[in-house]
Amino acid sequence: MTNAVTYENWKQISDSFEDQDKTKGAGHVLEWAYSTYSDKQIVYASSFGAEAIVLIDLIYQVKPDAHIVFLDTGLHFLETYEVIDKMEARFPSLRIERKQPEISLEDQAAQFGSALWKKNPNKCCEIRKVIPLRETLTAKQAWISGLRRQQSPTRANTEFINKDEKFKNIKICPLIHWTWDDVWNYIRKKDLPYNKLHDHNYPSIGCFPCTLPVLDEGDSRAGRWAGIGKTECGLHTR
């Protein structure tokens, strides 16, 4: 492995990538990532939303047997599980792991009361997403994410390579310069499977109790935890 990132040089390496090619830098970033980190050092944490479909296709071109983890909260839409099945069939050599929390929904309800996502959504996200990802990343030096700058104000300053204080490693975001139109043009051009909820005004798809359709073209994450001032599950915040 070469050009390893440290907490000191991450910004310098991030700034070295050009973003004027047909993938707006994503292809070069992924080639760098999989040549810098071994199989055991890097993982892609995928939501299997529209950005994820693009990113999986791009990753497959670089690393056909890449490790991909899906945080299976047990609360996802049926359509989300359906698109995972389709992607597994389309890319059979990829190692797609469905990571579940140690605590079941039944045990969570017994410990914290029913519908924790209504009473304390941050705690629910911590149990069902943040802790499982932390467990996954314990042995990893880097992880890949599908964040785009256009998605929301909280993601507007995302770099190709980011110092991740939360998980104490490096977060790689190849799609930062992609627009929503770029994502869909790629999906249609490659005839890739995608979550059919996107056809019904769901630009961002998470757990079904906390995800609503969006009726305007504003913040693409406006349908997540609508009405409570929460826009992130905690994976991308300190």
mmCIF file of all heavy atoms in Angstrom, residues 116-117 119-128 130 225 228 230-234:
data_model
loop_
_atom_site.group_PDB
_atom_site.id
_atom_site.type_symbol
_atom_site.label_atom_id
_atom_site.label_comp_id
_atom_site.label_asym_id
_atom_site.label_seq_id
_atom_site.Cartn_x
_atom_site.Cartn_y
_atom_site.Cartn_z
ATOM 1 N N LEU A 116 -38.989 3.905 20.112
ATOM 2 C CA LEU A 116 -37.930 4.792 20.603
ATOM 3 C C LEU A 116 -37.615 5.888 19.590
ATOM 4 O O LEU A 116 -37.234 6.995 19.953
ATOM 5 C CB LEU A 116 -36.667 3.979 20.899
ATOM 6 C CG LEU A 116 -35.449 4.738 21.433
ATOM 7 C CD1 LEU A 116 -35.761 5.446 22.754
ATOM 8 C CD2 LEU A 116 -34.254 3.799 21.589
ATOM 9 N N TRP A 117 -37.784 5.580 18.295
ATOM 10 C CA TRP A 117 -37.507 6.559 17.243
ATOM 11 C C TRP A 117 -38.390 7.801 17.346
ATOM 12 O O TRP A 117 -38.024 8.851 16.841
ATOM 13 C CB TRP A 117 -37.666 5.901 15.875
ATOM 14 C CG TRP A 117 -38.925 5.110 15.705
ATOM 15 C CD1 TRP A 117 -40.156 5.566 15.309
ATOM 16 C CD2 TRP A 117 -39.077 3.714 15.954
ATOM 17 N NE1 TRP A 117 -41.062 4.548 15.289
ATOM 18 C CE2 TRP A 117 -40.437 3.387 15.673
ATOM 19 C CE3 TRP A 117 -38.203 2.700 16.368
ATOM 20 C CZ2 TRP A 117 -40.937 2.095 15.800
ATOM 21 C CZ3 TRP A 117 -38.713 1.418 16.498
ATOM 22 C CH2 TRP A 117 -40.058 1.120 16.220
ATOM 23 N N LYS A 119 -39.652 8.931 20.519
ATOM 24 C CA LYS A 119 -39.346 9.577 21.791
ATOM 25 C C LYS A 119 -37.926 10.106 21.850
ATOM 26 O O LYS A 119 -37.673 11.175 22.410
ATOM 27 C CB LYS A 119 -39.591 8.589 22.940
ATOM 28 C CG LYS A 119 -41.034 8.145 23.081
ATOM 29 C CD LYS A 119 -41.210 7.141 24.187
ATOM 30 C CE LYS A 119 -40.544 5.802 23.850
ATOM 31 N NZ LYS A 119 -40.834 4.756 24.847
ATOM 32 N N ASN A 120 -37.002 9.352 21.299
ATOM 33 C CA ASN A 120 -35.590 9.730 21.352
ATOM 34 C C ASN A 120 -34.895 9.206 20.099
ATOM 35 O O ASN A 120 -34.176 8.201 20.158
ATOM 36 C CB ASN A 120 -34.936 9.170 22.613
ATOM 37 C CG ASN A 120 -33.546 9.738 22.851
ATOM 38 O OD1 ASN A 120 -32.926 10.307 21.947
ATOM 39 N ND2 ASN A 120 -33.036 9.589 24.063
ATOM 40 N N PRO A 121 -35.108 9.866 18.952
ATOM 41 C CA PRO A 121 -34.541 9.352 17.702
ATOM 42 C C PRO A 121 -33.017 9.280 17.707
ATOM 43 O O PRO A 121 -32.443 8.398 17.067
ATOM 44 C CB PRO A 121 -35.060 10.342 16.644
ATOM 45 C CG PRO A 121 -35.424 11.573 17.412
ATOM 46 C CD PRO A 121 -35.890 11.092 18.744
ATOM 47 N N ASN A 122 -32.363 10.180 18.418
ATOM 48 C CA ASN A 122 -30.899 10.121 18.480
ATOM 49 C C ASN A 122 -30.429 8.834 19.148
ATOM 50 O O ASN A 122 -29.446 8.216 18.717
ATOM 51 C CB ASN A 122 -30.348 11.330 19.235
ATOM 52 C CG ASN A 122 -30.440 12.605 18.430
ATOM 53 O OD1 ASN A 122 -30.446 12.574 17.198
ATOM 54 N ND2 ASN A 122 -30.518 13.739 19.113
ATOM 55 N N LYS A 123 -31.127 8.425 20.197
ATOM 56 C CA LYS A 123 -30.761 7.185 20.887
ATOM 57 C C LYS A 123 -31.016 5.981 19.990
ATOM 58 O O LYS A 123 -30.206 5.036 19.939
ATOM 59 C CB LYS A 123 -31.573 7.044 22.183
ATOM 60 C CG LYS A 123 -31.167 5.844 23.041
ATOM 61 C CD LYS A 123 -29.737 5.990 23.547
ATOM 62 C CE LYS A 123 -29.362 4.859 24.489
ATOM 63 N NZ LYS A 123 -27.968 4.975 24.960
ATOM 64 N N CYS A 124 -32.122 6.015 19.262
ATOM 65 C CA CYS A 124 -32.439 4.911 18.354
ATOM 66 C C CYS A 124 -31.375 4.796 17.262
ATOM 67 O O CYS A 124 -30.906 3.693 16.959
ATOM 68 C CB CYS A 124 -33.825 5.133 17.735
ATOM 69 S SG CYS A 124 -34.443 3.721 16.787
ATOM 70 N N CYS A 125 -30.983 5.934 16.694
ATOM 71 C CA CYS A 125 -29.935 5.920 15.668
ATOM 72 C C CYS A 125 -28.606 5.432 16.234
ATOM 73 O O CYS A 125 -27.856 4.722 15.560
ATOM 74 C CB CYS A 125 -29.759 7.324 15.081
ATOM 75 S SG CYS A 125 -31.081 7.859 13.980
ATOM 76 N N GLU A 126 -28.331 5.814 17.474
ATOM 77 C CA GLU A 126 -27.079 5.375 18.097
ATOM 78 C C GLU A 126 -27.054 3.850 18.227
ATOM 79 O O GLU A 126 -26.056 3.201 17.885
ATOM 80 C CB GLU A 126 -26.919 6.007 19.474
ATOM 81 C CG GLU A 126 -25.653 5.575 20.192
ATOM 82 C CD GLU A 126 -25.569 6.071 21.631
ATOM 83 O OE1 GLU A 126 -26.541 6.684 22.103
ATOM 84 O OE2 GLU A 126 -24.541 5.832 22.266
ATOM 85 N N ILE A 127 -28.154 3.277 18.697
ATOM 86 C CA ILE A 127 -28.217 1.842 18.923
ATOM 87 C C ILE A 127 -28.180 1.064 17.614
ATOM 88 O O ILE A 127 -27.464 0.060 17.484
ATOM 89 C CB ILE A 127 -29.500 1.475 19.707
ATOM 90 C CG1 ILE A 127 -29.430 2.039 21.133
ATOM 91 C CG2 ILE A 127 -29.716 -0.035 19.730
ATOM 92 C CD1 ILE A 127 -30.742 1.932 21.898
ATOM 93 N N ARG A 128 -28.927 1.545 16.630
ATOM 94 C CA ARG A 128 -29.174 0.748 15.437
ATOM 95 C C ARG A 128 -28.260 1.090 14.267
ATOM 96 O O ARG A 128 -28.192 0.335 13.295
ATOM 97 C CB ARG A 128 -30.644 0.833 15.019
ATOM 98 C CG ARG A 128 -31.610 0.654 16.196
ATOM 99 C CD ARG A 128 -32.923 0.038 15.794
ATOM 100 N NE ARG A 128 -32.779 -1.383 15.431
ATOM 101 C CZ ARG A 128 -32.625 -2.364 16.313
ATOM 102 N NH1 ARG A 128 -32.576 -2.113 17.616
ATOM 103 N NH2 ARG A 128 -32.497 -3.615 15.885
ATOM 104 N N VAL A 130 -25.130 3.863 14.646
ATOM 105 C CA VAL A 130 -23.806 4.362 15.024
ATOM 106 C C VAL A 130 -22.959 3.264 15.669
ATOM 107 O O VAL A 130 -21.798 3.056 15.288
ATOM 108 C CB VAL A 130 -23.919 5.579 15.970
ATOM 109 C CG1 VAL A 130 -22.521 6.023 16.426
ATOM 110 C CG2 VAL A 130 -24.640 6.729 15.272
ATOM 111 N N TRP A 225 -36.556 12.535 9.488
ATOM 112 C CA TRP A 225 -36.907 13.055 10.822
ATOM 113 C C TRP A 225 -37.610 14.410 10.714
ATOM 114 O O TRP A 225 -37.325 15.348 11.472
ATOM 115 C CB TRP A 225 -35.650 13.182 11.694
ATOM 116 C CG TRP A 225 -34.854 11.927 11.764
ATOM 117 C CD1 TRP A 225 -35.112 10.827 12.528
ATOM 118 C CD2 TRP A 225 -33.657 11.625 11.033
ATOM 119 N NE1 TRP A 225 -34.161 9.873 12.311
ATOM 120 C CE2 TRP A 225 -33.240 10.324 11.406
ATOM 121 C CE3 TRP A 225 -32.874 12.335 10.107
ATOM 122 C CZ2 TRP A 225 -32.108 9.715 10.881
ATOM 123 C CZ3 TRP A 225 -31.754 11.735 9.574
ATOM 124 C CH2 TRP A 225 -31.375 10.442 9.959
ATOM 125 N N ILE A 228 -38.570 17.676 13.497
ATOM 126 C CA ILE A 228 -37.915 17.633 14.804
ATOM 127 C C ILE A 228 -36.518 18.253 14.764
ATOM 128 O O ILE A 228 -35.778 18.173 15.745
ATOM 129 C CB ILE A 228 -37.849 16.200 15.364
ATOM 130 C CG1 ILE A 228 -36.990 15.295 14.460
ATOM 131 C CG2 ILE A 228 -39.238 15.620 15.539
ATOM 132 C CD1 ILE A 228 -36.751 13.925 15.066
ATOM 133 N N LYS A 230 -33.862 17.365 13.137
ATOM 134 C CA LYS A 230 -32.782 16.388 13.008
ATOM 135 C C LYS A 230 -32.617 16.067 11.530
ATOM 136 O O LYS A 230 -33.598 15.784 10.839
ATOM 137 C CB LYS A 230 -33.129 15.133 13.802
ATOM 138 C CG LYS A 230 -32.135 13.968 13.685
ATOM 139 C CD LYS A 230 -32.597 12.813 14.574
ATOM 140 C CE LYS A 230 -31.845 11.509 14.307
ATOM 141 N NZ LYS A 230 -30.421 11.577 14.699
ATOM 142 N N THR A 231 -31.386 16.101 11.025
ATOM 143 C CA THR A 231 -31.148 15.799 9.613
ATOM 144 C C THR A 231 -30.094 14.712 9.408
ATOM 145 O O THR A 231 -29.892 14.265 8.283
ATOM 146 C CB THR A 231 -30.693 17.055 8.846
ATOM 147 O OG1 THR A 231 -29.473 17.552 9.426
ATOM 148 C CG2 THR A 231 -31.757 18.142 8.892
ATOM 149 N N GLU A 232 -29.419 14.283 10.473
ATOM 150 C CA GLU A 232 -28.366 13.280 10.360
ATOM 151 C C GLU A 232 -28.589 12.180 11.404
ATOM 152 O O GLU A 232 -29.033 12.449 12.525
ATOM 153 C CB GLU A 232 -26.983 13.898 10.577
ATOM 154 C CG GLU A 232 -26.593 14.946 9.526
ATOM 155 C CD GLU A 232 -26.180 14.321 8.197
ATOM 156 O OE1 GLU A 232 -26.088 13.078 8.127
ATOM 157 O OE2 GLU A 232 -25.996 15.073 7.240
ATOM 158 N N CYS A 233 -28.253 10.947 11.018
ATOM 159 C CA CYS A 233 -28.417 9.832 11.954
ATOM 160 C C CYS A 233 -27.299 9.780 12.984
ATOM 161 O O CYS A 233 -27.412 9.076 13.979
ATOM 162 C CB CYS A 233 -28.484 8.515 11.189
ATOM 163 S SG CYS A 233 -26.992 8.132 10.240
ATOM 164 N N GLY A 234 -26.205 10.492 12.711
ATOM 165 C CA GLY A 234 -25.070 10.495 13.635
ATOM 166 C C GLY A 234 -23.818 9.892 13.059
ATOM 167 O O GLY A 234 -22.744 9.999 13.662
#
